[in-house]
Amino acid sequence: MARFTQSESRRHQQQHHPQPPHPAPVNLLLPQPLLLIPHQHQLDHSPVPKPMNGPETVSMHTDSGAMKDQDAIKLFIGQIPRNLEEKDLKPLFEQFGKIHELSVLKDRYTGMHKGCAFLTYCARESAIKAQNALHEQKTLPGMTRPIQVKPADSECRGEDRKLFVGMLNKQQTEEDVYRLFEPYGAIEECTVLRGPDGNSKGCAFVKFSTHSEAQSAISSLHGSQTMPGASSSLVVKFADTDKERTLRRMQQMAGQFGMFNPSVSLPTFTSYSSYTHALMQQQQAAVMAVSQGGYLAPSLSFPSAQLHQVGALTMNGLPLNSVSVSLYSPPAGLSSPPSTMPSSLPSLVTPMMNGYTGLAPQANVHPLETLYTNGLPPYSTQSPTAADTLQQTFTGVQQYTAIYPATTLTPVGQSLAQHPQVIGQQQREGEGPEGCNLFIYHLPQEFGDNELMQMFLPFGNVISSKVFMDRATNQSKCFGFVSFDNPGSAQAAIQAMNGFQIGMKRLKVQLKRPKDASRPY
DNA sequence: TATTATT
């Protein structure tokens, strides 16, 4: 299983900086120690060591081994192919020392591999060796960018010393940016953002070793000069926090979906160039590869640019002029592991993302205000929760797009009605065991059984889906039932989809009442 | 002018 062969000698050639294998977007390798070592007191907040007699907490997704040193460093591992699990990664990292814990990050609801992991060696020294040998040094099969091996954010958070630099000249390199910021402190990381073609996007991230160094760079550099070719003066500010970034993405997506600007012309069938068609097929092939646990060829990865294009193709311009953020009570005892991918994927499926959003359409409002300023009273003033809920939902949508890229490419109006049933014989008017059956209300009028099923497939095996129709008019009554084969999937679906906004309505997703409860004697 | 992810 040694797909990755790390030459032993590399670790010892410290006299020159090894060239990263990819010219494109890489962090500048810095003359400073690669690993900024947090002080001990920052690392360990509890002076009490773990009891020697108790086993470490071990979960199914965790490889956990021997005791670690007090001063061990948790490493973040990035750019991992999504088909590699702990057991596959272990050999690669074991060569630097005994591993205390290695866990691949998975989405809490869908179980989707996030493409990164945490790794703690028993010995601090092993972590340093591993970072020196691996960080940015090798690209794992199927990845387009080199592996990341660096201290996890939890070891020493970087948000408050990381700068976003905008309005750069597109010709400026990591080195240029480094020189520009060097006078203000020790730079730990310096990255110019680039597109897939390697062209600079005219902005960069610069991480200093301390907040005050970063602050002094802002004071001195922000607005201080205008780069040749830039439309305004240099921007230097603290990088967005995770939350801000999520909100920003949501807004971008809103733009993509044509909600901010209803006048924007929607893509039409002319968008279906042969390229797009090829892209669809490729992505569909990739979906199959992933779902079968196979290896992803490099060309089958999902660069964000492609996903964006998918997004752009899926809008149908459903008007959205209000948003509400609801709090739901998370079901107690949601402890089952995330549901798995459906084992069989539909060959031709219906547009999932159309008109879906968890987004606030108002423009010119501060993102955070947007969340709570929609003409409705906030459901709660316990602030982070509503935003978290929305973000979780949004994350789910992104993953949906990633898992079913081809799905979203089906033009609006060409729904499953024109294609063979995908679950055929399995679909009956049926129910799963108690706890597996969901009641869904506020469905879009145009949703039929299949759309309903598609919407819930990501959370597990859907054994039946039924939208109730008005006999007289043959119109949907906008509610229906979905049954899974296990309660965990049902709970995951509730978590992700209850309150999910579609058009102007929010889905209500809850467990179906058991029969006897609805018919009291 | 906002990244490939941080339990």
Side-chain angles (χ1 to χ4, degrees):
Chain A
M1 293 305 270
R3 272 178 297 282
F4 181 108
T5 49
Q6 174 64 39
S7 99
E8 274 294 305
S9 63
R10 173 143 242 159
R11 288 190 267 156
H12 304 296
Q13 47 183 227
Q14 298 292 26
Q15 52 273 53
H16 71 285
H17 301 303
Q19 281 306 110
H22 291 268
V26 289
N27 293 331
L28 183 65
L29 292 180
L30 304 173
Q32 273 84 20
L34 283 168
L35 194 56
L36 283 201
I37 299 168
H39 295 297
Q40 179 106 11
H41 68 267
Q42 294 177 297
L43 279 178
D44 197 335
H45 298 281
S46 70
V48 186
K50 284 184 177 159
M52 296 295 286
N53 54 355
E56 295 285 337
T57 304
V58 180
S59 80
M60 236 170 54
H61 300 290
T62 297
D63 232 13
S64 190
M67 291 300 290
K68 66 176 168 65
D69 293 351
Q70 275 284 89
D71 61 355
I73 302 165
K74 177 174 276 196
L75 294 174
F76 173 80
I77 315 295
Q79 293 299 318
I80 303 171
R82 292 184 200 269
N83 52 9
L84 298 190
E85 303 296 336
E86 284 84 358
K87 63 175 167 34
D88 308 306
L89 296 168
K90 215 169 148 185
L92 168 59
F93 294 106
E94 260 174 353
Q95 57 183 320
F96 305 104
K98 192 170 288 184
I99 292 172
H100 171 252
E101 186 171 40
L102 171 61
S103 53
V104 166
L105 301 191
K106 302 270 175 75
D107 180 90
R108 112 176 77 153
Y109 301 122
T110 67
M112 193 170 137
H113 193 303
K114 289 188 170 179
C116 55
F118 287 118
L119 166 65
T120 312
Y121 285 100
C122 299
R124 179 184 184 82
E125 187 59 24
S126 305
I128 294 168
K129 274 198 257 180
Q131 175 171 6
N132 285 336
L134 297 179
H135 181 64
E136 296 262 320
Q137 294 304 130
K138 197 82 185 178
T139 301
L140 264 19
M143 295 288 104
T144 55
R145 312 181 59 193
I147 191 170
Q148 303 291 303
V149 178
K150 53 196 185 186
D153 282 351
S154 59
E155 295 295 85
C156 188
R157 65 185 106 277
E159 294 293 349
D160 63 339
R161 53 197 175 87
K162 184 174 181 177
L163 299 178
F164 172 78
V165 185
M167 288 293 122
L168 287 168
N169 178 326
K170 296 213 193 313
Q171 263 57 55
Q172 285 175 295
T173 65
E174 275 82 359
E175 194 176 344
D176 297 326
V177 176
Y178 185 85
R179 294 231 181 84
L180 190 60
F181 284 81
E182 198 175 23
Y184 308 98
I187 297 174
E188 187 183 325
E189 209 174 282
C190 175
T191 314
V192 168
L193 273 53
R194 297 172 191 280
D197 51 1
N199 294 142
S200 165
K201 293 188 174 179
C203 56
F205 291 113
V206 174
K207 194 192 267 185
F208 280 98
S209 67
T210 69
H211 176 78
S212 63
E213 288 170 344
Q215 182 61 63
S216 83
I218 292 175
S219 308
S220 303
L221 291 177
H222 179 69
S224 65
Q225 52 196 296
T226 300
M227 298 302 172
S231 57
S232 70
S233 63
L234 191 66
V235 170
V236 182
K237 58 210 270 197
F238 285 112
D240 284 351
T241 62
D242 279 351
K243 264 200 179 115
E244 290 164 332
R245 198 165 65 222
T246 304
L247 288 164
R248 182 190 304 280
R249 278 187 196 161
M250 288 162 56
Q251 289 190 325
Q252 278 184 341
M253 202 150 180
Q256 295 257 353
F257 278 68
M259 293 159 329
F260 266 90
N261 235 329
S263 64
V264 111
S265 70
L266 300 178
T268 65
F269 293 100
T270 60
S271 306
Y272 281 75
S273 63
S274 55
Y275 169 73
T276 306
H277 188 249
L279 193 61
M280 275 174 65
Q281 303 220 311
Q282 193 187 48
Q283 289 182 329
Q284 195 149 19
V287 168
M288 299 309 283
V290 169
S291 70
Q292 289 161 12
Y295 281 68
L296 262 183
S299 63
L300 295 183
S301 61
F302 302 110
S304 56
Q306 288 187 5
L307 289 181
H308 278 179
Q309 179 159 10
V310 168
L313 285 167
T314 56
M315 52 183 171
N316 68 356
L318 273 182
L320 297 171
N321 29 23
S322 76
V323 67
S324 23
V325 178
S326 77
L327 290 178
Y328 54 83
S329 331
L334 175 64
S335 59
S336 56
S339 60
T340 55
M341 291 268 296
S343 54
S344 69
L345 289 166
S347 54
L348 276 168
V349 282
T350 200
M352 238 352 276
M353 297 291 298
N354 295 319
Y356 277 45
T357 180
L359 263 269
Q362 292 100 329
N364 305 322
V365 180
H366 185 281
L368 281 172
E369 287 172 4
T370 306
L371 284 175
Y372 301 103
T373 314
N374 52 24
L376 300 170
Y379 285 72
S380 166
T381 50
Q382 298 159 4
S383 55
T385 322
D388 288 347
T389 302
L390 188 54
Q391 287 174 10
Q392 274 168 8
T393 304
F394 181 73
T395 302
V397 172
Q398 287 185 309
Q399 285 171 347
Y400 209 121
T401 317
I403 296 171
Y404 295 98
T407 301
T408 60
L409 288 169
T410 308
V412 175
Q414 276 191 358
S415 72
L416 262 192
Q418 298 175 13
H419 300 297
Q421 286 277 340
V422 288
I423 53 172
Q425 65 282 28
Q426 287 179 2
Q427 180 163 30
R428 326 177 251 118
E429 197 49 29
E431 286 189 21
E434 189 167 338
C436 299
N437 307 300
L438 299 181
F439 169 76
I440 298 100
Y441 196 52
H442 294 149
L443 287 168
Q445 181 72 49
E446 53 284 357
F447 262 46
D449 295 354
N450 284 302
E451 285 78 9
L452 183 60
M453 181 187 65
Q454 294 301 323
M455 181 161 48
F456 285 89
L457 266 179
F459 308 104
N461 292 319
V462 174
I463 61 176
S464 78
S465 66
K466 186 76 200 155
V467 173
F468 277 68
M469 309 294 283
D470 184 296
R471 277 242 190 82
T473 65
N474 211 27
Q475 298 275 297
S476 161
K477 290 183 161 175
C478 298
F479 73 90
F481 296 100
V482 166
S483 298
F484 288 100
D485 62 1
N486 73 85
S489 296
Q491 290 298 338
I494 293 173
Q495 284 282 326
M497 297 307 291
N498 187 35
F500 196 94
Q501 180 154 0
I502 304 179
M504 296 176 61
K505 303 192 290 190
R506 280 183 292 119
L507 289 183
K508 178 178 186 174
V509 181
Q510 56 190 31
L511 283 178
K512 184 185 174 193
R513 249 186 329 216
K515 272 214 183 82
D516 46 358
S518 59
R519 307 208 180 148
Y521 292 133

